[in-house]
Amino acid sequence: MNEKPSRILSNTKIYLLFIITTVLLILAAVFIDNLNYRLFSGDALNYTSGWTISVDHDVSDITDLNDYYFECKAYKTIISIKNTIPKGISKFSTISLPIYLSAIDVYISNKLVYSYGADLYNKKQLVGSGLHFITLPTDCSGENINIVIRPSQDDAFSRLNNIQIIDTKDVYSLYIKQQTGRFFVSVFLFTFGLILIVVGTCITIYFKNLSTIIFIGLLSVSVGLWTLTSSFTNQVLQPNLLVNTFIEYFSLYLAPLCFLLYQKTFYSFINKPMRIYYIINTSILALFNLIMPILHFANIYHISEGLYIFFAICVPIIPFIILLTVRPSSMSKDTKQIFTAGSIIILLTSIVDMLRHFILTFISVSNTYDLGSLLPYGTFFFMVTLIVGYNIQIYKSVAVEFEKRTFEKLAYTDSLTKLGNRAKADKDIVGYEKSKEEYAIISLDLNGLKQVNDSLGHDLGDKLLITFAEILTEVFGSFCQIYRFGGDEFMVLLNDADFDKVSYCITNMISLEEKKSNELPFKIDTSFGIARSSEIPDNDTFSVYKLADSRMYEMKLANSKFRH
């Protein structure tokens, strides 16, 4: 009586340990990522202090950019930040400046040295976000620098931080080093997702519907792309900021839709109200993903402006996911717990990311305390839980299928000759009848088995049966099904389309019987009868077999008279 509660308690402890370990690993990954950033930032000069800030000609005192909160209005706000280029920098230096959704012009000693997004801004089109690498003129230490920023969207950014002066030759490599953990996770998610999409598509086309794998792959790809673009690490391969920004927001919007489509796996296990709720939320999110790119390319509504609408659409999805994780499904208990842990983690990291965005955008909090997005790590863990869960499910399914086939084989196999038995013959004939295919039956009887058992012993009697089974397999095995009904009765079942081969096979069988008889201490001799289903008007199975059996006995009787 105490065994079951003890086992449940043990499973609960393992489950809680799994979740706690995961949370600790995610926090450790975030900590290492931030440690990496600070470690490799030593190779760059932090350039956030000593700036004079002017917002719409309202000039502030010299300040540290990390402590300044910006309020941006699209196509109205003009921000100017001025400083002096520090002395002692490398002869070939570059300023690394992350800017969001804004046009930028950089002047050194009143000379324009860098410009981005002016044409897009003037046409009121979306201006891309990204890292701007401003190559400084040689020997420019001590000169004045003026950076003019024109946001193309309300609340495009609230902070200007992480401005660095880097040796030009280390620009890209240093940034990747600072983002090592995030870069690795995003590349993994993107690559793994592509593999799942290809595998899922192939399996769906050639075998059965496995669209679930495709949706998981799309989720992984979308979060991987979003991480690459939102962290600007993909600029190493794709320097077009406008394209990157579109991918950033579109992949973000696509991710929860893929997650919901994946949840369709459990559709049959939820009640009608939840199904309606699921369909409504999925439809709204799908419509949003369809309309936003159209409005964006028509320059009616920028794709980045849909972010808060997206948040509002996602909020009602949260309770549905929570309810779904606690409802019963076809999964085993272990797999269900793993899936629940993965869903909870990705849900929590998504909620934390939304809160993080609101805090950094609307609350005056220093970016020093920002640990970065947790969503990539949550998704990474979710993918790991899916792999573990599916492996457990596949292992159990394979074990069950193996056990089923083993018992089925035992139920349909003659233990001595390893041929099919009567039950297997009945099943195969029913298959022919269902397919409306014509077939033929050869009924065979092994003559002299009783005499061999009585005179030479049952061991040699078994040897006679096994040898004859081998002869039948050699002769008919390539295109027929062969059965032993017990005792000295055998049967061969074949498609009527192969009937023209029977005559040759019978001749070959008799030849092999004679050959084996010369090698063994007993004679192998059979009587047989052949019947075709086309000979019976109503194609009745019993009548076909009875006809073959009666012809076999006619031959047996004729052989008996001949021997006497």
Side-chain angles (χ1 to χ4, degrees):
M1 290 294 290
N2 295 327
E3 186 179 346
K4 191 174 180 181
S6 174
R7 190 177 298 167
I8 292 172
L9 183 63
S10 177
N11 284 342
T12 305
K13 284 182 178 178
I14 293 170
Y15 177 53
L16 288 172
L17 182 63
F18 185 65
I19 293 178
I20 292 167
T21 304
T22 300
V23 172
L24 290 175
L25 285 172
I26 290 175
L27 292 174
V30 173
F31 173 76
I32 292 168
D33 210 22
N34 281 268
L35 184 66
N36 251 357
Y37 177 80
R38 286 166 174 74
L39 182 66
F40 289 107
S41 290
D43 297 333
L45 175 65
N46 187 12
Y47 194 37
T48 57
S49 60
W51 291 90
T52 302
I53 301 171
S54 171
V55 180
D56 296 329
H57 307 293
D58 183 13
V59 181
S60 69
D61 295 332
I62 294 174
T63 185
D64 191 314
L65 291 177
N66 287 326
D67 300 326
Y68 195 90
Y69 181 84
F70 292 89
E71 293 183 3
C72 302
K73 296 295 180 184
Y75 306 106
K76 292 181 180 178
T77 303
I78 298 177
I79 298 168
S80 172
I81 57 173
K82 297 178 181 179
N83 206 338
T84 302
I85 297 173
K87 294 182 179 180
I89 62 173
S90 170
K91 185 177 181 181
F92 301 101
S93 294
T94 296
I95 292 178
S96 169
L97 173 64
I99 294 288
Y100 298 88
L101 306 170
S102 303
I104 175 174
D105 296 306
V106 181
Y107 299 87
I108 294 180
S109 297
N110 298 321
K111 182 180 178 182
L112 182 67
V113 296
Y114 181 87
S115 180
Y116 170 76
D119 291 343
L120 296 170
Y121 181 88
N122 293 333
K123 294 175 184 176
K124 295 198 173 181
Q125 294 179 353
L126 178 69
V127 181
S129 303
L131 270 177
H132 297 274
F133 295 112
I134 304 151
T135 303
L136 298 175
T138 56
D139 303 321
C140 63
S141 298
E143 295 188 32
N144 295 324
I145 181 170
N146 180 19
I147 301 174
V148 179
I149 304 166
R150 292 172 291 170
S152 67
Q153 184 175 308
D154 291 346
D155 303 314
F157 58 87
S158 58
R159 301 281 178 183
L160 284 176
N161 58 347
N162 297 334
I163 303 178
Q164 298 176 325
I165 299 179
I166 307 167
D167 196 313
T168 301
K169 70 177 187 300
D170 297 329
V171 165
Y172 286 107
S173 62
L174 181 62
Y175 188 72
I176 292 296
K177 286 176 184 177
Q178 291 172 344
Q179 303 280 339
T180 303
R182 207 167 297 273
F183 182 73
F184 167 77
V185 169
S186 57
V187 169
F188 169 83
L189 290 174
F190 179 75
T191 308
F192 183 66
L194 284 180
I195 293 169
L196 286 181
I197 291 169
V198 172
V199 171
T201 303
C202 292
I203 293 174
T204 300
I205 291 171
Y206 293 105
F207 296 100
K208 62 179 180 178
N209 184 17
L210 274 179
S211 55
T212 300
I213 294 178
I214 299 173
F215 293 138
I216 294 170
L218 285 170
L219 172 64
S220 186
V221 166
S222 56
V223 175
L225 278 174
W226 176 77
T227 309
L228 281 169
T229 50
S230 62
S231 63
F232 307 145
T233 48
N234 71 314
Q235 280 187 225
V236 176
L237 302 173
Q238 166 55 272
N240 190 316
L241 304 190
L242 186 59
V243 172
N244 290 344
T245 303
F246 177 82
I247 294 172
E248 175 188 349
Y249 284 93
F250 184 71
S251 58
L252 176 64
Y253 299 160
L254 185 63
L257 177 61
C258 296
F259 188 67
L260 275 180
L261 291 171
Y262 161 69
Q263 302 296 329
K264 193 175 182 294
T265 309
F266 315 103
Y267 187 79
S268 58
F269 301 99
I270 57 179
N271 56 36
K272 189 174 180 180
M274 282 187 69
R275 289 186 186 185
I276 294 170
Y277 191 76
Y278 169 82
I279 291 170
I280 291 171
N281 280 281
T282 305
S283 300
I284 291 171
L285 197 51
L287 195 62
F288 175 79
N289 273 272
L290 179 66
I291 291 173
M292 280 309 303
I294 295 172
L295 294 177
H296 172 80
F297 288 114
N299 202 30
I300 297 171
Y301 198 72
H302 297 165
I303 193 167
S304 55
E305 292 177 302
L307 185 63
Y308 298 113
I309 301 173
F310 168 72
F311 286 157
I313 293 171
C314 286
V315 169
I317 296 171
I318 295 170
F320 172 79
I321 301 299
I322 293 171
L323 285 171
L324 196 63
T325 56
V326 298
R327 287 192 68 83
S329 74
S330 61
M331 289 180 177
S332 65
K333 186 176 178 180
D334 295 336
T335 308
K336 175 70 174 176
Q337 286 182 337
I338 291 170
F339 162 76
T340 301
S343 297
I344 289 171
I345 293 296
I346 197 172
L347 198 62
L348 287 175
T349 51
S350 300
I351 293 169
V352 169
D353 261 27
M354 281 193 278
L355 292 173
R356 167 182 167 269
H357 175 83
F358 280 108
I359 290 169
L360 292 178
T361 304
F362 299 110
I363 301 174
S364 182
V365 176
S366 174
N367 278 36
T368 307
Y369 304 104
D370 180 25
L371 295 176
S373 173
L374 296 178
L375 183 59
Y377 301 103
T379 308
F380 179 81
F381 171 72
F382 180 67
M383 292 299 153
V384 172
T385 60
L386 285 177
I387 293 169
V388 173
Y390 272 111
N391 279 341
I392 291 173
Q393 206 165 12
I394 289 168
Y395 171 77
K396 290 188 174 180
S397 297
V398 168
V400 169
E401 184 64 24
F402 177 76
E403 189 175 353
K404 178 185 171 185
R405 290 190 179 186
T406 301
F407 282 120
E408 188 178 89
K409 190 174 181 181
L410 290 171
Y412 288 133
T413 304
D414 176 63
S415 59
L416 179 64
T417 62
K418 308 306 178 188
L419 298 177
N421 58 17
R422 185 181 290 274
K424 183 69 168 74
D426 292 341
K427 182 184 176 185
D428 290 344
I429 292 172
V430 169
Y432 274 106
E433 289 181 339
K434 284 182 179 179
S435 65
K436 305 296 183 185
E437 286 186 276
E438 299 288 350
Y439 59 93
I441 289 175
I442 306 174
S443 178
L444 303 107
D445 186 89
L446 191 57
N447 299 322
L449 176 63
K450 187 177 184 305
Q451 289 84 347
V452 172
N453 282 331
D454 291 344
S455 60
L456 300 176
H458 285 277
D459 286 344
L460 284 178
D462 290 346
K463 178 67 174 176
L464 171 58
L465 290 167
I466 293 169
T467 304
F468 183 61
E470 290 171 349
I471 291 172
L472 288 179
T473 302
E474 184 177 343
V475 173
F476 294 102
S478 60
F479 65 98
C480 302
Q481 289 82 45
I482 308 164
Y483 315 92
R484 179 190 174 216
F485 286 177
D488 53 7
E489 295 180 61
F490 290 80
M491 191 187 95
V492 174
L493 176 67
L494 65 146
N495 193 306
D496 197 70
D498 295 317
F499 189 76
D500 57 344
K501 301 177 184 177
V502 171
S503 178
Y504 170 78
C505 290
I506 293 292
T507 304
N508 194 20
M509 179 186 76
I510 294 170
S511 175
L512 285 172
E513 286 176 354
E514 293 174 353
K515 180 182 176 184
K516 291 291 182 181
S517 296
N518 293 329
E519 298 171 358
L520 296 167
F522 46 73
K523 183 179 180 181
I524 304 173
D525 180 57
T526 53
S527 300
F528 55 86
I530 305 170
R532 304 169 76 173
S533 59
S534 57
E535 297 180 72
I536 307 298
D538 58 355
N539 210 0
D540 175 58
T541 304
F542 180 73
S543 299
V544 179
Y545 176 72
K546 188 177 179 182
L547 179 60
D549 210 40
S550 65
R551 288 173 177 172
M552 180 271 291
Y553 276 109
E554 286 175 9
M555 181 179 180
K556 192 177 185 71
L557 184 61
N559 287 343
S560 177
K561 288 180 179 178
F562 177 76
R563 281 195 294 270
H564 288 88

